Structures are given as structure tokens and as C-alpha cells.
Amino acid sequence: MSDQNKDKNTSRRGYAGISSEQRDEMRRAALIDSGIANFGTAGYSTTTIEVLCKAAKVSTRDFYRYFASMEDLLLAVYDQIIAMTMESVVAKVTLATDDPTESARVG
């Protein structure tokens, strides 16, 4: 098999119907979710990469594949929280009406 064909087959290869790109996205998201949970409960300074990986069900090798350091993960966690907050704010503003009672009910 030529190198060109190997590259084509590798890029399409999946596991359990999931492409490698989708698995990468899922693992990275799992690490971010683990960061949100662990930094929020145990704190950044006491959370280890091993704890994060165990909670995310990924290896430490995977961690370093997606993040250069714990600080990089912390920045990704921050970005995720900001995105979720913005989504929530936009949704609430979109639902707001001119009626103060209704606006208060919506939150």
C-alpha cells in the first residue's frame, strides 16, 4: 500500500463509529469538564493532572496531547465558563420583554 493510501485510510479510520477527530474533541472536552469539576471543588492548586485524567477517563499522555500544562487547561476552563455564561445571558436577554414583571420572572 502506498504512503498516500495509508494517509487516506488512517484519516478515515474510526473506532466504534467515531472518527479520530471526534474522539480528540471528546477527550479534550472531557478534560475541560474534569477541570471545571475538580478546580471548582478541590481548587486549582490541589488538583493534579492524574486526578483530572482519572475523572476524564483519559491517559496523562492524552492530557499533554491537548494541553501543554495545567495552566493551559485552566485557560480552556475559563474560556468554557465564559462561553457558557455568555450563552446564558444572551438567552435570558432574548427572552426579556418590556414588562418588568415578566422580565423578573424570566430571571
Side-chain angles (χ1 to χ4, degrees):
M1 184 180 288
S2 74
D3 287 339
Q4 188 177 15
N5 287 337
K6 284 182 187 177
D7 289 341
K8 287 180 182 177
N9 290 336
T10 303
S11 65
R12 285 190 235 156
R13 188 181 320 164
Y15 178 77
I18 300 171
S19 72
S20 61
E21 292 83 10
Q22 289 170 319
R23 277 196 322 275
D24 284 345
E25 289 174 20
M26 290 169 57
R27 288 177 183 150
R28 188 174 189 285
L31 284 165
I32 292 170
D33 290 344
S34 177
I36 290 171
N38 286 286
F39 296 159
T41 56
Y44 174 80
S45 62
T46 59
T47 301
T48 64
I49 290 173
E50 290 76 17
V51 166
L52 292 165
C53 291
K54 185 175 182 180
K57 298 180 180 168
V58 301
S59 69
T60 54
R61 180 179 175 180
D62 287 329
F63 178 91
Y64 287 108
R65 184 174 180 192
Y66 307 113
F67 303 101
S69 66
M70 286 265 292
E71 289 173 354
D72 283 346
L73 175 60
L74 181 61
L75 291 172
V77 165
Y78 174 81
D79 289 342
Q80 180 68 29
I81 290 171
I82 293 298
M84 291 175 358
T85 302
M86 288 299 292
E87 245 178 63
S88 177
V89 168
V90 168
K92 301 246 179 186
V93 168
T94 302
L95 292 174
T97 69
D98 291 333
D99 179 8
T101 306
E102 181 65 17
S103 293
R105 188 190 66 73
V106 170

